[in-house]
Amino acid sequence: ESVFRSLADKDHCRSKVFTMVPTPLITGTISYLVVGFVLIGAIFASNATGLLSKDNAAIGHIVASISVFSMWLFWLCAWMHQWHPLIKPIYEDGE
């Protein structure tokens, strides 16, 4: 009986961890992953059709990867600052 209880507690803790991650954070991360895969796919297709040389495609993959990661990181920082602001405004009475 205690084995089943400990297993149930572990499942409860595991589901609690996944519910602690905010939904907008997951949605935004998936969105940036999709953008990254589309860009990498476009560069791969350009390389396959001959529009880009092998060297230019390699540079394109690096630039696209770093760009998408940088944009995601900037979005993440902006979202986190709005989610839990460090500085709260102090409103004065309008006299």
Side-chain angles (χ1 to χ4, degrees):
E1 191 175 321
S2 64
V3 172
F4 293 121
R5 183 173 292 166
S6 66
L7 288 174
D9 290 342
K10 287 181 183 178
D11 288 339
H12 176 69
C13 291
R14 192 175 305 143
S15 65
K16 198 175 195 181
V17 168
F18 287 119
T19 58
M20 290 174 57
V21 177
T23 305
L25 187 63
I26 295 170
T27 305
T29 301
I30 291 172
S31 300
Y32 278 101
L33 281 173
V34 168
V35 169
F37 283 126
V38 167
L39 285 174
I40 296 289
I43 293 168
F44 181 75
S46 297
N47 186 21
T49 58
L51 292 174
L52 288 176
S53 67
K54 185 177 179 182
D55 293 335
N56 288 338
I59 292 170
H61 284 118
I62 293 170
V63 168
S65 301
I66 291 173
S67 301
V68 170
F69 176 75
S70 299
M71 288 187 292
W72 173 79
L73 190 61
F74 183 80
W75 170 82
L76 180 68
C77 289
W79 190 84
M80 293 294 279
H81 283 290
Q82 292 175 15
W83 188 40
H84 290 295
L86 296 175
I87 301 171
K88 296 186 181 190
I90 301 171
Y91 298 106
E92 295 180 9
D93 293 334
E95 295 179 19

